Amino acid sequence: MISYTPIGYVHSPFQQTVGMPIQAVAARGVPGRIELAPEYHAGLQDIEEFEYLILLYHLHRIEGASLTVTPFLDHQSHGIFATRSPKRPNPIGLSVVRLLKVEGLILHIEDVDVLDGTPLIDITDVTHRLRKN
Amino acid sequence: MISYTPIGYVHSPFQQTVGMPIQAVAARGVPGRIELAPEYHAGLQDIEEFEYLILLYHLHRIEGASLTVTPFLDHQSHGIFATRSPKRPNPIGLSVVRLLKVEGLILHIEDVDVLDGTPLIDITDVTHRLRKN
Protein backbone atom coordinates (compact mmCIF):
# COMPACT_ATOMS: atom_id res chain seq x y z
CA MET A 1 0.00 0.00 0.00
CA ILE A 2 1.28 3.43 -1.04
CA SER A 3 0.09 6.52 0.84
CA TYR A 4 0.25 10.13 -0.27
CA THR A 5 -0.90 13.39 1.31
CA PRO A 6 -2.39 16.22 -0.79
CA ILE A 7 0.05 19.12 -1.22
CA GLY A 8 -2.87 21.41 -2.01
CA TYR A 9 -6.05 21.61 -4.06
CA VAL A 10 -6.93 22.60 -7.62
CA HIS A 11 -9.82 24.99 -8.14
CA SER A 12 -11.70 25.12 -11.43
CA PRO A 13 -15.09 26.15 -12.81
CA PHE A 14 -16.19 22.48 -12.81
CA GLN A 15 -18.38 21.54 -9.86
CA GLN A 16 -19.43 18.23 -11.36
CA THR A 17 -18.20 15.83 -14.02
CA VAL A 18 -21.19 16.58 -16.27
CA GLY A 19 -20.15 19.29 -18.73
CA MET A 20 -16.44 18.90 -18.08
CA PRO A 21 -14.06 18.89 -21.05
CA ILE A 22 -13.49 15.27 -22.04
CA GLN A 23 -10.73 16.05 -24.46
CA ALA A 24 -7.89 18.27 -23.32
CA VAL A 25 -8.26 20.54 -26.35
CA ALA A 26 -11.66 21.57 -24.99
CA ALA A 27 -9.97 22.79 -21.80
CA ARG A 28 -7.85 25.37 -23.63
CA GLY A 29 -8.14 28.69 -21.88
CA VAL A 30 -10.20 27.37 -18.96
CA PRO A 31 -8.92 29.26 -15.92
CA GLY A 32 -8.21 27.77 -12.51
CA ARG A 33 -5.82 27.96 -9.62
CA ILE A 34 -3.76 25.79 -7.35
CA GLU A 35 -3.85 26.56 -3.64
CA LEU A 36 -0.74 25.02 -2.18
CA ALA A 37 -0.69 24.04 1.48
CA PRO A 38 1.53 26.52 3.39
CA GLU A 39 4.06 23.89 4.49
CA TYR A 40 5.13 23.34 0.86
CA HIS A 41 5.70 27.00 -0.01
CA ALA A 42 9.50 26.68 -0.33
CA GLY A 43 8.99 24.03 -3.01
CA LEU A 44 7.68 26.68 -5.42
CA GLN A 45 11.00 28.52 -5.75
CA ASP A 46 11.70 29.24 -9.46
CA ILE A 47 8.48 27.54 -10.61
CA GLU A 48 7.57 30.78 -12.43
CA GLU A 49 10.32 29.98 -14.95
CA PHE A 50 8.05 27.36 -16.48
CA GLU A 51 5.29 28.03 -18.94
CA TYR A 52 3.69 24.61 -18.53
CA LEU A 53 3.41 22.33 -15.54
CA ILE A 54 2.45 18.70 -15.17
CA LEU A 55 -0.07 18.17 -12.39
CA LEU A 56 -0.59 14.78 -10.80
CA TYR A 57 -3.79 14.62 -8.80
CA HIS A 58 -6.17 12.25 -7.10
CA LEU A 59 -9.42 11.61 -8.98
CA HIS A 60 -11.36 11.94 -5.74
CA ARG A 61 -14.85 11.64 -7.18
CA ILE A 62 -14.25 8.45 -9.16
CA GLU A 63 -15.87 5.38 -7.65
CA GLY A 64 -14.86 1.99 -8.90
CA ALA A 65 -12.32 0.98 -11.52
CA SER A 66 -12.97 -0.66 -14.86
CA LEU A 67 -10.27 -2.61 -16.68
CA THR A 68 -11.84 -2.05 -20.10
CA VAL A 69 -13.60 1.09 -21.23
CA THR A 70 -15.07 2.54 -24.42
CA PRO A 71 -13.68 6.08 -24.71
CA PHE A 72 -15.77 9.06 -25.81
CA LEU A 73 -16.32 9.09 -29.60
CA ASP A 74 -14.90 5.60 -29.87
CA HIS A 75 -16.88 2.46 -30.72
CA GLN A 76 -14.55 -0.16 -29.36
CA SER A 77 -13.49 -1.03 -25.86
CA HIS A 78 -9.84 -0.74 -24.88
CA GLY A 79 -7.80 -1.71 -21.87
CA ILE A 80 -7.80 1.05 -19.25
CA PHE A 81 -4.02 1.49 -19.56
CA ALA A 82 -4.44 2.31 -23.27
CA THR A 83 -6.90 5.11 -22.45
CA ARG A 84 -7.20 8.25 -20.35
CA SER A 85 -10.42 7.11 -18.69
CA PRO A 86 -10.51 8.10 -15.01
CA LYS A 87 -11.81 4.70 -13.88
CA ARG A 88 -8.26 3.51 -13.28
CA PRO A 89 -7.16 0.92 -10.70
CA ASN A 90 -5.29 3.76 -8.99
CA PRO A 91 -7.38 6.88 -9.72
CA ILE A 92 -4.53 9.26 -10.46
CA GLY A 93 -4.86 12.00 -13.06
CA LEU A 94 -2.23 13.80 -15.14
CA SER A 95 -2.79 17.15 -16.80
CA VAL A 96 -0.57 19.66 -18.53
CA VAL A 97 -1.60 23.20 -17.61
CA ARG A 98 -0.25 26.61 -18.49
CA LEU A 99 1.21 28.57 -15.58
CA LEU A 100 0.11 32.21 -15.73
CA LYS A 101 1.21 33.75 -12.43
CA VAL A 102 2.38 32.85 -8.95
CA GLU A 103 1.06 34.83 -5.97
CA GLY A 104 2.34 33.39 -2.72
CA LEU A 105 0.69 30.00 -2.33
CA ILE A 106 -1.63 30.53 -5.30
CA LEU A 107 -0.67 29.41 -8.81
CA HIS A 108 -2.94 30.85 -11.47
CA ILE A 109 -3.25 28.32 -14.26
CA GLU A 110 -5.05 27.81 -17.56
CA ASP A 111 -6.18 24.80 -19.65
CA VAL A 112 -7.70 23.24 -16.55
CA ASP A 113 -9.64 20.01 -17.02
CA VAL A 114 -10.11 18.84 -13.44
CA LEU A 115 -12.95 19.11 -10.95
CA ASP A 116 -13.02 21.94 -8.44
CA GLY A 117 -11.49 20.78 -5.17
CA THR A 118 -9.26 18.08 -6.67
CA PRO A 119 -6.49 17.01 -4.27
CA LEU A 120 -3.08 17.70 -5.79
CA ILE A 121 -0.34 15.09 -5.36
CA ASP A 122 2.57 16.62 -7.25
CA ILE A 123 3.63 19.46 -9.54
CA THR A 124 6.48 18.89 -11.92
CA ASP A 125 7.90 20.60 -14.93
CA VAL A 126 7.28 19.49 -18.48
CA THR A 127 10.74 20.23 -19.82
CA HIS A 128 12.66 18.21 -17.28
CA ARG A 129 10.35 15.26 -17.05
CA LEU A 130 9.38 14.85 -20.66
CA ARG A 131 12.46 16.09 -22.41
CA LYS A 132 12.71 12.74 -24.18
CA ASN A 133 9.75 13.69 -26.38
CA MET B 1 -4.63 10.52 2.92
CA ILE B 2 -4.60 8.93 -0.53
CA SER B 3 -3.86 5.21 -0.86
CA TYR B 4 -2.78 3.31 -3.95
CA THR B 5 -1.90 -0.32 -4.59
CA PRO B 6 0.92 -1.34 -6.96
CA ILE B 7 -0.40 -2.72 -10.25
CA GLY B 8 2.93 -4.44 -10.84
CA TYR B 9 6.66 -3.87 -10.68
CA VAL B 10 9.29 -2.44 -13.02
CA HIS B 11 12.48 -4.41 -13.52
CA SER B 12 15.68 -2.75 -14.66
CA PRO B 13 19.46 -3.25 -14.56
CA PHE B 14 19.70 -0.77 -11.65
CA GLN B 15 19.99 -2.41 -8.25
CA GLN B 16 20.97 0.79 -6.49
CA THR B 17 20.69 4.52 -7.09
CA VAL B 18 24.47 4.86 -7.50
CA GLY B 19 25.27 4.70 -11.21
CA MET B 20 21.69 5.25 -12.33
CA PRO B 21 21.02 7.64 -15.20
CA ILE B 22 20.30 11.05 -13.71
CA GLN B 23 19.22 12.58 -16.95
CA ALA B 24 16.67 10.76 -19.08
CA VAL B 25 18.85 11.01 -22.18
CA ALA B 26 21.36 8.72 -20.43
CA ALA B 27 18.63 6.06 -20.14
CA ARG B 28 18.20 5.77 -23.90
CA GLY B 29 18.25 2.12 -24.90
CA VAL B 30 18.39 0.80 -21.32
CA PRO B 31 16.21 -2.33 -21.34
CA GLY B 32 13.71 -3.30 -18.70
CA ARG B 33 10.33 -4.88 -18.22
CA ILE B 34 7.07 -4.36 -16.44
CA GLU B 35 5.55 -7.35 -14.69
CA LEU B 36 1.87 -6.56 -14.28
CA ALA B 37 -0.09 -8.22 -11.50
CA PRO B 38 -2.43 -10.86 -13.02
CA GLU B 39 -5.63 -9.15 -11.86
CA TYR B 40 -4.96 -6.18 -14.17
CA HIS B 41 -4.31 -8.20 -17.33
CA ALA B 42 -7.50 -7.02 -19.11
CA GLY B 43 -6.30 -3.43 -18.74
CA LEU B 44 -3.52 -4.06 -21.28
CA GLN B 45 -5.88 -4.57 -24.24
CA ASP B 46 -4.58 -2.54 -27.23
CA ILE B 47 -1.59 -1.18 -25.28
CA GLU B 48 0.67 -2.52 -28.05
CA GLU B 49 -0.66 0.23 -30.33
CA PHE B 50 1.51 2.71 -28.45
CA GLU B 51 5.19 3.25 -29.05
CA TYR B 52 5.71 5.22 -25.85
CA LEU B 53 4.09 4.89 -22.44
CA ILE B 54 4.03 7.14 -19.41
CA LEU B 55 4.80 5.24 -16.22
CA LEU B 56 3.83 6.60 -12.82
CA TYR B 57 5.61 4.78 -10.03
CA HIS B 58 6.39 4.95 -6.35
CA LEU B 59 9.95 6.03 -5.51
CA HIS B 60 10.15 3.31 -2.87
CA ARG B 61 13.78 3.79 -1.88
CA ILE B 62 13.58 7.52 -1.27
CA GLU B 63 13.66 8.49 2.38
CA GLY B 64 12.73 12.00 3.36
CA ALA B 65 11.61 14.93 1.26
CA SER B 66 13.41 18.17 0.64
CA LEU B 67 11.59 21.32 -0.45
CA THR B 68 14.67 22.83 -2.11
CA VAL B 69 17.32 20.91 -4.00
CA THR B 70 20.37 21.64 -6.12
CA PRO B 71 20.00 19.50 -9.25
CA PHE B 72 22.88 17.61 -10.85
CA LEU B 73 25.16 19.95 -12.87
CA ASP B 74 23.38 22.98 -11.43
CA HIS B 75 24.89 25.44 -8.97
CA GLN B 76 21.73 26.95 -7.55
CA SER B 77 18.99 25.51 -5.42
CA HIS B 78 15.46 25.36 -6.76
CA GLY B 79 12.08 24.51 -5.31
CA ILE B 80 11.39 20.78 -5.53
CA PHE B 81 8.36 21.39 -7.79
CA ALA B 82 10.65 23.10 -10.32
CA THR B 83 12.89 20.03 -10.50
CA ARG B 84 12.76 16.32 -11.13
CA SER B 85 14.53 15.46 -7.91
CA PRO B 86 13.07 12.31 -6.32
CA LYS B 87 13.00 13.83 -2.82
CA ARG B 88 9.42 15.00 -3.35
CA PRO B 89 6.76 15.44 -0.67
CA ASN B 90 4.89 12.58 -2.37
CA PRO B 91 7.63 10.38 -3.85
CA ILE B 92 6.01 9.66 -7.18
CA GLY B 93 8.03 9.27 -10.36
CA LEU B 94 7.11 9.82 -13.99
CA SER B 95 9.01 8.31 -16.90
CA VAL B 96 8.41 8.03 -20.61
CA VAL B 97 9.55 4.63 -21.88
CA ARG B 98 9.47 2.96 -25.25
CA LEU B 99 7.21 -0.09 -25.49
CA LEU B 100 8.93 -2.88 -27.42
CA LYS B 101 6.72 -5.95 -26.99
CA VAL B 102 3.90 -7.32 -24.88
CA GLU B 103 4.01 -10.96 -23.78
CA GLY B 104 1.10 -11.78 -21.51
CA LEU B 105 1.67 -9.86 -18.28
CA ILE B 106 5.18 -8.77 -19.32
CA LEU B 107 5.79 -5.48 -21.12
CA HIS B 108 9.28 -5.25 -22.56
CA ILE B 109 10.38 -1.62 -22.43
CA GLU B 110 13.40 0.54 -23.21
CA ASP B 111 14.78 3.91 -21.97
CA VAL B 112 14.31 2.74 -18.39
CA ASP B 113 15.57 5.06 -15.65
CA VAL B 114 14.06 3.49 -12.53
CA LEU B 115 15.38 1.12 -9.90
CA ASP B 116 14.80 -2.61 -10.19
CA GLY B 117 11.69 -3.57 -8.23
CA THR B 118 9.98 -0.18 -8.42
CA PRO B 119 6.24 -0.43 -7.60
CA LEU B 120 4.17 0.70 -10.58
CA ILE B 121 1.11 2.88 -9.92
CA ASP B 122 -0.22 3.53 -13.41
CA ILE B 123 0.51 3.14 -17.11
CA THR B 124 -0.92 5.66 -19.51
CA ASP B 125 -0.42 6.62 -23.09
CA VAL B 126 1.58 9.63 -24.18
CA THR B 127 -0.60 10.61 -27.11
CA HIS B 128 -3.85 10.81 -25.19
CA ARG B 129 -2.54 12.35 -22.04
CA LEU B 130 -0.11 14.85 -23.47
CA ARG B 131 -1.72 15.68 -26.77
CA LYS B 132 -1.74 19.33 -25.75
CA ASN B 133 2.01 19.50 -26.29
Side-chain angles (χ1 to χ4, degrees):
Chain A
M1 189 71 94
I2 297 162
S3 293
Y4 296 135
T5 304
I7 59 168
Y9 292 86
V10 186
H11 293 283
S12 83
F14 307 114
Q15 301 299 322
Q16 48 182 350
T17 51
V18 176
M20 272 190 64
I22 292 170
Q23 298 188 298
V25 67
R28 288 250 174 91
V30 172
R33 67 184 191 285
I34 294 165
E35 294 189 12
L36 199 76
E39 60 266 41
Y40 301 110
H41 194 190
L44 291 181
Q45 187 195 326
D46 303 322
I47 196 99
E48 67 278 1
E49 291 173 15
F50 297 100
E51 186 178 359
Y52 291 94
L53 300 174
I54 296 177
L55 306 184
L56 299 179
Y57 48 88
H58 184 60
L59 296 158
H60 63 304
R61 295 271 289 278
I62 296 298
E63 289 174 16
S66 185
L67 288 178
T68 57
V69 293
T70 302
F72 180 66
L73 294 182
D74 201 334
H75 301 289
Q76 291 192 303
S77 78
H78 302 280
I80 188 77
F81 302 125
T83 78
R84 71 171 310 220
S85 163
K87 290 184 158 293
R88 318 186 75 73
N90 291 310
I92 190 164
L94 184 163
S95 290
V96 178
V97 298
R98 181 188 288 262
L99 177 61
L100 300 178
K101 192 168 58 170
V102 182
E103 288 183 323
L105 292 165
I106 310 293
L107 282 71
H108 297 273
I109 55 177
E110 208 173 66
D111 305 350
V112 177
D113 62 349
V114 305
L115 275 174
D116 187 47
T118 292
L120 189 61
I121 296 172
D122 203 0
I123 304 171
T124 186
D125 67 275
V126 171
T127 47
H128 283 189
R129 289 303 186 93
L130 294 179
R131 63 187 169 278
K132 277 188 289 190
N133 276 359
Chain B
M1 191 70 95
I2 298 163
S3 293
Y4 296 135
T5 304
I7 59 168
Y9 293 86
V10 186
H11 293 283
S12 83
F14 306 114
Q15 301 299 321
Q16 48 182 350
T17 51
V18 175
M20 272 191 63
I22 291 169
Q23 297 187 296
V25 67
R28 288 252 172 90
V30 172
R33 67 184 192 284
I34 294 164
E35 294 190 11
L36 200 75
E39 60 265 40
Y40 302 111
H41 194 190
L44 291 181
Q45 188 194 325
D46 303 322
I47 196 98
E48 68 278 1
E49 291 173 15
F50 297 100
E51 186 178 359
Y52 290 93
L53 301 174
I54 296 177
L55 307 184
L56 298 179
Y57 49 88
H58 185 60
L59 296 158
H60 63 304
R61 296 269 290 277
I62 296 297
E63 288 173 17
S66 185
L67 288 179
T68 57
V69 293
T70 301
F72 180 65
L73 293 183
D74 200 335
H75 301 289
Q76 291 192 303
S77 76
H78 302 281
I80 188 79
F81 302 125
T83 77
R84 70 171 313 219
S85 163
K87 291 185 158 291
R88 319 185 75 74
N90 291 311
I92 189 164
L94 185 164
S95 290
V96 179
V97 298
R98 180 188 288 262
L99 177 61
L100 300 177
K101 192 168 59 170
V102 182
E103 288 182 324
L105 292 165
I106 309 293
L107 281 73
H108 296 274
I109 56 178
E110 206 172 66
D111 303 350
V112 177
D113 62 351
V114 304
L115 274 175
D116 188 47
T118 292
L120 189 62
I121 296 172
D122 202 0
I123 303 171
T124 187
D125 68 273
V126 171
T127 48
H128 284 189
R129 289 302 186 92
L130 295 179
R131 63 186 169 279
K132 277 188 289 190
N133 276 0

